mmCIF file of all heavy atoms in Angstrom:
data_model
loop_
_atom_site.group_PDB
_atom_site.id
_atom_site.type_symbol
_atom_site.label_atom_id
_atom_site.label_comp_id
_atom_site.label_asym_id
_atom_site.label_seq_id
_atom_site.Cartn_x
_atom_site.Cartn_y
_atom_site.Cartn_z
ATOM 1 N N VAL A 264 3.257 8.789 2.122
ATOM 2 C CA VAL A 264 1.904 8.961 1.602
ATOM 3 C C VAL A 264 0.951 8.153 2.476
ATOM 4 O O VAL A 264 1.288 7.054 2.919
ATOM 5 C CB VAL A 264 1.761 8.544 0.143
ATOM 6 C CG1 VAL A 264 2.569 9.421 -0.788
ATOM 7 C CG2 VAL A 264 2.163 7.093 -0.073
ATOM 8 N N ASP A 265 -0.219 8.736 2.773
ATOM 9 C CA ASP A 265 -1.242 8.007 3.493
ATOM 10 C C ASP A 265 -1.998 7.121 2.523
ATOM 11 O O ASP A 265 -2.355 7.550 1.420
ATOM 12 C CB ASP A 265 -2.220 8.980 4.177
ATOM 13 C CG ASP A 265 -1.542 9.745 5.303
ATOM 14 O OD1 ASP A 265 -0.604 9.207 5.915
ATOM 15 O OD2 ASP A 265 -1.973 10.886 5.579
ATOM 16 N N LEU A 266 -2.253 5.879 2.910
ATOM 17 C CA LEU A 266 -2.964 4.925 2.033
ATOM 18 C C LEU A 266 -4.329 4.537 2.585
ATOM 19 O O LEU A 266 -5.300 4.476 1.856
ATOM 20 C CB LEU A 266 -2.112 3.672 1.800
ATOM 21 C CG LEU A 266 -0.807 3.862 1.057
ATOM 22 C CD1 LEU A 266 -0.060 2.551 0.951
ATOM 23 C CD2 LEU A 266 -1.051 4.450 -0.311
ATOM 24 N N ASN A 267 -4.398 4.172 3.864
ATOM 25 C CA ASN A 267 -5.640 3.712 4.483
ATOM 26 C C ASN A 267 -6.286 2.584 3.704
ATOM 27 O O ASN A 267 -7.479 2.606 3.411
ATOM 28 C CB ASN A 267 -6.616 4.893 4.658
ATOM 29 C CG ASN A 267 -7.731 4.578 5.625
ATOM 30 O OD1 ASN A 267 -7.566 3.779 6.549
ATOM 31 N ND2 ASN A 267 -8.885 5.184 5.433
ATOM 32 N N ILE A 268 -5.493 1.557 3.368
ATOM 33 C CA ILE A 268 -5.981 0.392 2.635
ATOM 34 C C ILE A 268 -6.468 -0.639 3.659
ATOM 35 O O ILE A 268 -5.676 -1.160 4.442
ATOM 36 C CB ILE A 268 -4.901 -0.194 1.708
ATOM 37 C CG1 ILE A 268 -4.554 0.824 0.622
ATOM 38 C CG2 ILE A 268 -5.308 -1.523 1.137
ATOM 39 C CD1 ILE A 268 -3.437 0.408 -0.304
ATOM 40 N N ARG A 269 -7.779 -0.889 3.650
ATOM 41 C CA ARG A 269 -8.425 -1.758 4.644
ATOM 42 C C ARG A 269 -8.959 -3.062 4.086
ATOM 43 O O ARG A 269 -9.166 -4.026 4.800
ATOM 44 C CB ARG A 269 -9.570 -1.014 5.302
ATOM 45 C CG ARG A 269 -9.190 0.214 6.033
ATOM 46 C CD ARG A 269 -10.405 1.000 6.526
ATOM 47 N NE ARG A 269 -9.967 2.105 7.381
ATOM 48 C CZ ARG A 269 -9.738 2.007 8.680
ATOM 49 N NH1 ARG A 269 -9.907 0.858 9.289
ATOM 50 N NH2 ARG A 269 -9.314 3.051 9.348
ATOM 51 N N THR A 270 -9.292 -3.068 2.807
ATOM 52 C CA THR A 270 -9.981 -4.203 2.204
ATOM 53 C C THR A 270 -9.323 -4.609 0.893
ATOM 54 O O THR A 270 -8.541 -3.861 0.302
ATOM 55 C CB THR A 270 -11.458 -3.854 1.887
ATOM 56 O OG1 THR A 270 -11.475 -2.844 0.875
ATOM 57 C CG2 THR A 270 -12.178 -3.370 3.129
ATOM 58 N N SER A 271 -9.697 -5.790 0.410
ATOM 59 C CA SER A 271 -9.159 -6.227 -0.906
ATOM 60 C C SER A 271 -9.651 -5.308 -2.006
ATOM 61 O O SER A 271 -8.947 -5.110 -3.020
ATOM 62 C CB SER A 271 -9.545 -7.675 -1.172
ATOM 63 O OG SER A 271 -10.933 -7.862 -1.127
ATOM 64 N N ARG A 272 -10.826 -4.730 -1.839
ATOM 65 C CA ARG A 272 -11.296 -3.743 -2.823
ATOM 66 C C ARG A 272 -10.398 -2.510 -2.848
ATOM 67 O O ARG A 272 -10.088 -1.964 -3.914
ATOM 68 C CB ARG A 272 -12.726 -3.354 -2.524
ATOM 69 C CG ARG A 272 -13.276 -2.383 -3.535
ATOM 70 C CD ARG A 272 -14.707 -2.037 -3.300
ATOM 71 N NE ARG A 272 -15.154 -1.090 -4.309
ATOM 72 C CZ ARG A 272 -16.376 -0.786 -4.522
ATOM 73 N NH1 ARG A 272 -17.340 -1.362 -3.845
ATOM 74 N NH2 ARG A 272 -16.688 0.086 -5.439
ATOM 75 N N ASP A 273 -9.977 -2.054 -1.652
ATOM 76 C CA ASP A 273 -9.040 -0.923 -1.595
ATOM 77 C C ASP A 273 -7.733 -1.279 -2.320
ATOM 78 O O ASP A 273 -7.175 -0.435 -3.028
ATOM 79 C CB ASP A 273 -8.715 -0.550 -0.142
ATOM 80 C CG ASP A 273 -9.895 0.023 0.619
ATOM 81 O OD1 ASP A 273 -10.869 0.485 -0.008
ATOM 82 O OD2 ASP A 273 -9.821 0.007 1.861
ATOM 83 N N VAL A 274 -7.269 -2.512 -2.133
ATOM 84 C CA VAL A 274 -6.060 -2.950 -2.821
ATOM 85 C C VAL A 274 -6.271 -2.897 -4.330
ATOM 86 O O VAL A 274 -5.450 -2.377 -5.061
ATOM 87 C CB VAL A 274 -5.644 -4.389 -2.371
ATOM 88 C CG1 VAL A 274 -4.487 -4.904 -3.228
ATOM 89 C CG2 VAL A 274 -5.301 -4.438 -0.903
ATOM 90 N N MET A 275 -7.414 -3.440 -4.772
ATOM 91 C CA MET A 275 -7.725 -3.479 -6.196
ATOM 92 C C MET A 275 -7.729 -2.051 -6.787
ATOM 93 O O MET A 275 -7.163 -1.819 -7.847
ATOM 94 C CB MET A 275 -9.080 -4.136 -6.408
ATOM 95 C CG MET A 275 -9.487 -4.303 -7.852
ATOM 96 S SD MET A 275 -11.087 -5.135 -8.035
ATOM 97 C CE MET A 275 -12.164 -3.902 -7.301
ATOM 98 N N GLU A 276 -8.343 -1.111 -6.075
ATOM 99 C CA GLU A 276 -8.403 0.273 -6.568
ATOM 100 C C GLU A 276 -6.996 0.905 -6.609
ATOM 101 O O GLU A 276 -6.666 1.640 -7.531
ATOM 102 C CB GLU A 276 -9.370 1.089 -5.723
ATOM 103 C CG GLU A 276 -10.809 0.697 -5.943
ATOM 104 C CD GLU A 276 -11.776 1.395 -5.016
ATOM 105 O OE1 GLU A 276 -11.370 2.332 -4.298
ATOM 106 O OE2 GLU A 276 -12.942 0.986 -4.995
ATOM 107 N N PHE A 277 -6.193 0.629 -5.587
ATOM 108 C CA PHE A 277 -4.835 1.146 -5.545
ATOM 109 C C PHE A 277 -4.035 0.597 -6.754
ATOM 110 O O PHE A 277 -3.366 1.354 -7.452
ATOM 111 C CB PHE A 277 -4.159 0.770 -4.237
ATOM 112 C CG PHE A 277 -2.708 1.178 -4.163
ATOM 113 C CD1 PHE A 277 -2.344 2.484 -3.889
ATOM 114 C CD2 PHE A 277 -1.706 0.242 -4.377
ATOM 115 C CE1 PHE A 277 -1.016 2.867 -3.823
ATOM 116 C CE2 PHE A 277 -0.367 0.583 -4.316
ATOM 117 C CZ PHE A 277 -0.025 1.929 -4.038
ATOM 118 N N ILE A 278 -4.101 -0.702 -6.956
ATOM 119 C CA ILE A 278 -3.359 -1.340 -8.046
ATOM 120 C C ILE A 278 -3.845 -0.808 -9.406
ATOM 121 O O ILE A 278 -3.046 -0.557 -10.305
ATOM 122 C CB ILE A 278 -3.462 -2.881 -7.968
ATOM 123 C CG1 ILE A 278 -2.785 -3.402 -6.678
ATOM 124 C CG2 ILE A 278 -2.897 -3.540 -9.228
ATOM 125 C CD1 ILE A 278 -1.297 -3.094 -6.579
ATOM 126 N N ARG A 279 -5.144 -0.626 -9.524
ATOM 127 C CA ARG A 279 -5.695 -0.067 -10.759
ATOM 128 C C ARG A 279 -5.104 1.329 -11.018
ATOM 129 O O ARG A 279 -4.741 1.658 -12.153
ATOM 130 C CB ARG A 279 -7.219 0.034 -10.699
ATOM 131 C CG ARG A 279 -7.828 0.481 -12.012
ATOM 132 C CD ARG A 279 -9.341 0.572 -12.009
ATOM 133 N NE ARG A 279 -9.966 -0.619 -11.470
ATOM 134 C CZ ARG A 279 -10.960 -0.619 -10.580
ATOM 135 N NH1 ARG A 279 -11.448 0.529 -10.127
ATOM 136 N NH2 ARG A 279 -11.473 -1.729 -10.141
ATOM 137 N N GLY A 280 -4.986 2.129 -9.993
ATOM 138 C CA GLY A 280 -4.384 3.451 -10.137
ATOM 139 C C GLY A 280 -2.940 3.383 -10.567
ATOM 140 O O GLY A 280 -2.483 4.157 -11.415
ATOM 141 N N ILE A 281 -2.187 2.454 -10.003
ATOM 142 C CA ILE A 281 -0.787 2.301 -10.369
ATOM 143 C C ILE A 281 -0.664 1.792 -11.799
ATOM 144 O O ILE A 281 0.136 2.315 -12.583
ATOM 145 C CB ILE A 281 -0.055 1.339 -9.388
ATOM 146 C CG1 ILE A 281 0.025 1.930 -7.993
ATOM 147 C CG2 ILE A 281 1.308 0.930 -9.920
ATOM 148 C CD1 ILE A 281 0.865 3.197 -7.890
ATOM 149 N N LYS A 282 -1.494 0.833 -12.158
ATOM 150 C CA LYS A 282 -1.408 0.244 -13.516
ATOM 151 C C LYS A 282 -1.913 1.196 -14.619
ATOM 152 O O LYS A 282 -1.644 0.972 -15.772
ATOM 153 C CB LYS A 282 -2.188 -1.068 -13.571
ATOM 154 C CG LYS A 282 -1.476 -2.191 -12.845
ATOM 155 C CD LYS A 282 -2.216 -3.512 -13.012
ATOM 156 C CE LYS A 282 -1.455 -4.641 -12.356
ATOM 157 N NZ LYS A 282 -2.169 -5.914 -12.435
ATOM 158 N N SER A 283 -2.593 2.254 -14.198
ATOM 159 C CA SER A 283 -3.070 3.222 -15.189
ATOM 160 C C SER A 283 -1.909 3.943 -15.870
ATOM 161 O O SER A 283 -2.097 4.558 -16.899
ATOM 162 C CB SER A 283 -3.999 4.255 -14.528
ATOM 163 O OG SER A 283 -3.241 5.170 -13.734
ATOM 164 N N GLY A 284 -0.734 3.865 -15.257
ATOM 165 C CA GLY A 284 0.439 4.467 -15.862
ATOM 166 C C GLY A 284 0.647 5.923 -15.453
ATOM 167 O O GLY A 284 1.614 6.557 -15.853
ATOM 168 N N LYS A 285 -0.256 6.459 -14.623
ATOM 169 C CA LYS A 285 -0.112 7.870 -14.216
ATOM 170 C C LYS A 285 0.993 8.043 -13.183
ATOM 171 O O LYS A 285 1.517 9.135 -13.035
ATOM 172 C CB LYS A 285 -1.442 8.367 -13.647
ATOM 173 C CG LYS A 285 -2.524 8.461 -14.672
ATOM 174 C CD LYS A 285 -3.822 8.952 -14.072
ATOM 175 C CE LYS A 285 -4.921 8.985 -15.118
ATOM 176 N NZ LYS A 285 -6.201 9.331 -14.569
ATOM 177 N N SER A 286 1.333 6.963 -12.499
ATOM 178 C CA SER A 286 2.366 7.046 -11.478
ATOM 179 C C SER A 286 2.930 5.647 -11.215
ATOM 180 O O SER A 286 2.420 4.666 -11.740
ATOM 181 C CB SER A 286 1.778 7.625 -10.184
ATOM 182 O OG SER A 286 2.816 7.920 -9.277
ATOM 183 N N THR A 287 3.968 5.599 -10.423
ATOM 184 C CA THR A 287 4.562 4.320 -10.025
ATOM 185 C C THR A 287 4.608 4.255 -8.510
ATOM 186 O O THR A 287 4.497 5.292 -7.826
ATOM 187 C CB THR A 287 6.000 4.184 -10.586
ATOM 188 O OG1 THR A 287 6.808 5.200 -10.003
ATOM 189 C CG2 THR A 287 6.039 4.286 -12.097
ATOM 190 N N PRO A 288 4.784 3.074 -7.958
ATOM 191 C CA PRO A 288 4.847 2.970 -6.476
ATOM 192 C C PRO A 288 6.001 3.784 -5.912
ATOM 193 O O PRO A 288 7.059 3.901 -6.525
ATOM 194 C CB PRO A 288 5.057 1.459 -6.264
ATOM 195 C CG PRO A 288 4.508 0.808 -7.481
ATOM 196 C CD PRO A 288 4.795 1.770 -8.598
ATOM 197 N N LEU A 289 5.784 4.324 -4.734
ATOM 198 C CA LEU A 289 6.788 5.139 -4.045
ATOM 199 C C LEU A 289 8.098 4.389 -3.862
ATOM 200 O O LEU A 289 9.181 4.954 -3.957
ATOM 201 C CB LEU A 289 6.226 5.596 -2.676
ATOM 202 C CG LEU A 289 7.036 6.551 -1.868
ATOM 203 C CD1 LEU A 289 7.291 7.855 -2.599
ATOM 204 C CD2 LEU A 289 6.319 6.844 -0.542
ATOM 205 N N LYS A 290 8.016 3.085 -3.651
ATOM 206 C CA LYS A 290 9.212 2.253 -3.406
ATOM 207 C C LYS A 290 10.186 2.294 -4.575
ATOM 208 O O LYS A 290 11.374 1.977 -4.399
ATOM 209 C CB LYS A 290 8.791 0.809 -3.123
ATOM 210 C CG LYS A 290 8.198 0.153 -4.341
ATOM 211 C CD LYS A 290 7.776 -1.272 -4.033
ATOM 212 C CE LYS A 290 7.353 -1.975 -5.306
ATOM 213 N NZ LYS A 290 8.375 -2.024 -6.321
ATOM 214 N N ASN A 291 9.757 2.679 -5.736
ATOM 215 C CA ASN A 291 10.624 2.677 -6.915
ATOM 216 C C ASN A 291 11.726 3.717 -6.827
ATOM 217 O O ASN A 291 12.724 3.611 -7.533
ATOM 218 C CB ASN A 291 9.813 2.854 -8.190
ATOM 219 C CG ASN A 291 8.984 1.630 -8.513
ATOM 220 O OD1 ASN A 291 9.095 0.605 -7.857
ATOM 221 N ND2 ASN A 291 8.135 1.734 -9.508
ATOM 222 N N ILE A 292 11.577 4.714 -5.963
ATOM 223 C CA ILE A 292 12.645 5.721 -5.835
ATOM 224 C C ILE A 292 13.759 5.251 -4.887
ATOM 225 O O ILE A 292 14.777 5.908 -4.783
ATOM 226 C CB ILE A 292 12.133 7.107 -5.426
ATOM 227 C CG1 ILE A 292 11.522 7.120 -4.038
ATOM 228 C CG2 ILE A 292 11.137 7.635 -6.445
ATOM 229 C CD1 ILE A 292 11.155 8.509 -3.517
ATOM 230 N N THR A 293 13.545 4.115 -4.228
ATOM 231 C CA THR A 293 14.554 3.585 -3.311
ATOM 232 C C THR A 293 14.831 2.107 -3.593
ATOM 233 O O THR A 293 15.027 1.323 -2.664
ATOM 234 C CB THR A 293 14.130 3.768 -1.845
ATOM 235 O OG1 THR A 293 12.834 3.164 -1.656
ATOM 236 C CG2 THR A 293 14.078 5.235 -1.465
ATOM 237 N N SER A 294 14.850 1.743 -4.854
ATOM 238 C CA SER A 294 15.188 0.366 -5.274
ATOM 239 C C SER A 294 14.330 -0.686 -4.578
ATOM 240 O O SER A 294 14.843 -1.705 -4.088
ATOM 241 C CB SER A 294 16.674 0.073 -5.045
ATOM 242 O OG SER A 294 17.440 1.018 -5.730
ATOM 243 N N ASP A 295 13.024 -0.427 -4.493
ATOM 244 C CA ASP A 295 12.022 -1.349 -3.939
ATOM 245 C C ASP A 295 11.956 -1.411 -2.419
ATOM 246 O O ASP A 295 11.080 -2.064 -1.870
ATOM 247 C CB ASP A 295 12.164 -2.761 -4.500
ATOM 248 C CG ASP A 295 11.867 -2.843 -5.996
ATOM 249 O OD1 ASP A 295 11.061 -2.005 -6.479
ATOM 250 O OD2 ASP A 295 12.399 -3.733 -6.674
ATOM 251 N N TYR A 296 12.844 -0.735 -1.709
ATOM 252 C CA TYR A 296 12.769 -0.710 -0.245
ATOM 253 C C TYR A 296 11.743 0.351 0.199
ATOM 254 O O TYR A 296 11.774 1.462 -0.291
ATOM 255 C CB TYR A 296 14.133 -0.396 0.373
ATOM 256 C CG TYR A 296 15.106 -1.507 0.211
ATOM 257 C CD1 TYR A 296 15.962 -1.546 -0.872
ATOM 258 C CD2 TYR A 296 15.147 -2.557 1.127
ATOM 259 C CE1 TYR A 296 16.868 -2.579 -1.043
ATOM 260 C CE2 TYR A 296 16.039 -3.610 0.960
ATOM 261 C CZ TYR A 296 16.893 -3.608 -0.123
ATOM 262 O OH TYR A 296 17.771 -4.645 -0.271
ATOM 263 N N HIS A 297 10.868 -0.025 1.116
ATOM 264 C CA HIS A 297 9.868 0.900 1.619
ATOM 265 C C HIS A 297 9.338 0.395 2.946
ATOM 266 O O HIS A 297 9.653 -0.721 3.385
ATOM 267 C CB HIS A 297 8.720 1.064 0.615
ATOM 268 C CG HIS A 297 7.974 -0.216 0.325
ATOM 269 N ND1 HIS A 297 8.499 -1.232 -0.422
ATOM 270 C CD2 HIS A 297 6.748 -0.616 0.698
ATOM 271 C CE1 HIS A 297 7.630 -2.210 -0.514
ATOM 272 N NE2 HIS A 297 6.552 -1.893 0.166
ATOM 273 N N TYR A 298 8.551 1.215 3.607
ATOM 274 C CA TYR A 298 7.986 0.901 4.909
ATOM 275 C C TYR A 298 6.469 1.083 4.857
ATOM 276 O O TYR A 298 5.970 1.955 4.144
ATOM 277 C CB TYR A 298 8.521 1.842 5.982
ATOM 278 C CG TYR A 298 9.998 1.787 6.211
ATOM 279 C CD1 TYR A 298 10.874 2.494 5.359
ATOM 280 C CD2 TYR A 298 10.554 1.057 7.238
ATOM 281 C CE1 TYR A 298 12.238 2.473 5.560
ATOM 282 C CE2 TYR A 298 11.936 1.037 7.467
ATOM 283 C CZ TYR A 298 12.756 1.733 6.605
ATOM 284 O OH TYR A 298 14.123 1.708 6.802
ATOM 285 N N HIS A 299 5.764 0.250 5.623
ATOM 286 C CA HIS A 299 4.343 0.417 5.831
ATOM 287 C C HIS A 299 4.087 0.502 7.309
ATOM 288 O O HIS A 299 4.619 -0.320 8.078
ATOM 289 C CB HIS A 299 3.536 -0.763 5.291
ATOM 290 C CG HIS A 299 3.465 -0.855 3.808
ATOM 291 N ND1 HIS A 299 3.031 0.164 3.018
ATOM 292 C CD2 HIS A 299 3.764 -1.881 2.970
ATOM 293 C CE1 HIS A 299 3.072 -0.238 1.745
ATOM 294 N NE2 HIS A 299 3.517 -1.467 1.715
ATOM 295 N N THR A 300 3.278 1.479 7.730
ATOM 296 C CA THR A 300 2.714 1.433 9.083
ATOM 297 C C THR A 300 1.414 0.645 8.932
ATOM 298 O O THR A 300 0.545 1.011 8.158
ATOM 299 C CB THR A 300 2.427 2.838 9.619
ATOM 300 O OG1 THR A 300 3.634 3.593 9.583
ATOM 301 C CG2 THR A 300 1.878 2.780 11.038
ATOM 302 N N VAL A 301 1.320 -0.436 9.705
ATOM 303 C CA VAL A 301 0.162 -1.312 9.650
ATOM 304 C C VAL A 301 -0.510 -1.297 11.007
ATOM 305 O O VAL A 301 0.144 -1.481 12.040
ATOM 306 C CB VAL A 301 0.544 -2.759 9.256
ATOM 307 C CG1 VAL A 301 -0.650 -3.684 9.298
ATOM 308 C CG2 VAL A 301 1.211 -2.776 7.880
ATOM 309 N N SER A 302 -1.825 -1.073 11.019
ATOM 310 C CA SER A 302 -2.563 -1.130 12.280
ATOM 311 C C SER A 302 -3.474 -2.338 12.245
ATOM 312 O O SER A 302 -3.842 -2.852 11.187
ATOM 313 C CB SER A 302 -3.368 0.161 12.493
ATOM 314 O OG SER A 302 -4.350 0.308 11.500
ATOM 315 N N ALA A 303 -3.830 -2.804 13.426
ATOM 316 C CA ALA A 303 -4.704 -3.975 13.562
ATOM 317 C C ALA A 303 -5.356 -3.912 14.930
ATOM 318 O O ALA A 303 -5.031 -3.058 15.768
ATOM 319 C CB ALA A 303 -3.906 -5.262 13.407
ATOM 320 N N ASP A 304 -6.252 -4.865 15.193
ATOM 321 C CA ASP A 304 -6.965 -4.870 16.458
ATOM 322 C C ASP A 304 -6.105 -5.316 17.638
ATOM 323 O O ASP A 304 -6.431 -5.042 18.782
ATOM 324 C CB ASP A 304 -8.207 -5.768 16.351
ATOM 325 C CG ASP A 304 -7.866 -7.225 16.036
ATOM 326 O OD1 ASP A 304 -6.720 -7.509 15.641
ATOM 327 O OD2 ASP A 304 -8.753 -8.084 16.186
ATOM 328 N N SER A 305 -4.980 -6.008 17.355
ATOM 329 C CA SER A 305 -4.159 -6.512 18.453
ATOM 330 C C SER A 305 -2.729 -6.807 17.964
ATOM 331 O O SER A 305 -2.470 -6.919 16.773
ATOM 332 C CB SER A 305 -4.758 -7.812 19.022
ATOM 333 O OG SER A 305 -4.684 -8.827 18.034
ATOM 334 N N GLU A 306 -1.848 -6.955 18.925
ATOM 335 C CA GLU A 306 -0.461 -7.356 18.622
ATOM 336 C C GLU A 306 -0.429 -8.769 18.000
ATOM 337 O O GLU A 306 0.413 -9.051 17.150
ATOM 338 C CB GLU A 306 0.404 -7.321 19.893
ATOM 339 C CG GLU A 306 0.714 -5.929 20.399
ATOM 340 C CD GLU A 306 1.600 -5.111 19.470
ATOM 341 O OE1 GLU A 306 2.428 -5.706 18.750
ATOM 342 O OE2 GLU A 306 1.484 -3.885 19.482
ATOM 343 N N GLU A 307 -1.358 -9.619 18.444
ATOM 344 C CA GLU A 307 -1.419 -10.985 17.898
ATOM 345 C C GLU A 307 -1.715 -10.960 16.391
ATOM 346 O O GLU A 307 -1.117 -11.707 15.624
ATOM 347 C CB GLU A 307 -2.461 -11.813 18.646
ATOM 348 C CG GLU A 307 -2.113 -12.128 20.086
ATOM 349 C CD GLU A 307 -2.402 -10.974 21.054
ATOM 350 O OE1 GLU A 307 -3.117 -10.008 20.673
ATOM 351 O OE2 GLU A 307 -1.853 -11.003 22.172
ATOM 352 N N THR A 308 -2.616 -10.075 15.982
ATOM 353 C CA THR A 308 -2.930 -9.941 14.551
ATOM 354 C C THR A 308 -1.696 -9.436 13.806
ATOM 355 O O THR A 308 -1.372 -9.939 12.722
ATOM 356 C CB THR A 308 -4.116 -8.993 14.344
ATOM 357 O OG1 THR A 308 -5.271 -9.543 14.989
ATOM 358 C CG2 THR A 308 -4.424 -8.810 12.864
ATOM 359 N N LEU A 309 -0.994 -8.477 14.387
ATOM 360 C CA LEU A 309 0.222 -7.976 13.739
ATOM 361 C C LEU A 309 1.280 -9.077 13.655
ATOM 362 O O LEU A 309 2.023 -9.150 12.676
ATOM 363 C CB LEU A 309 0.774 -6.754 14.500
ATOM 364 C CG LEU A 309 -0.072 -5.500 14.387
ATOM 365 C CD1 LEU A 309 0.448 -4.422 15.340
ATOM 366 C CD2 LEU A 309 -0.081 -4.974 12.948
#
C-alpha cells in the first residue's frame, strides 16, 4: 500500500484511521513483520 507519510500530522491521521476500527495495519497479516520504503534528501539522512 502507498502511504506517502511526510509529517507528524500525516502520522496522526494514519493512526486515527487505524484506531477507528475500520481496518488494522497491514503488518498484522504477517505477525508484525513488514517493510517500508523510506525516501529522504540524502543517504546520510537515511
Side-chain angles (χ1 to χ4, degrees):
V264 294
D265 292 331
L266 295 178
N267 196 28
I268 294 176
R269 299 173 173 274
T270 65
S271 57
R272 182 177 179 166
D273 293 341
V274 173
M275 183 179 66
E276 290 174 10
F277 175 79
I278 296 299
R279 185 179 310 135
I281 294 296
K282 287 184 177 178
S283 74
K285 293 179 182 175
S286 191
T287 63
L289 186 59
K290 67 181 188 58
N291 289 354
I292 65 173
T293 55
S294 303
D295 292 332
Y296 290 93
H297 62 287
Y298 299 81
H299 288 305
T300 303
V301 176
S302 63
D304 61 346
S305 66
E306 289 293 331
E307 292 80 15
T308 299
L309 290 171

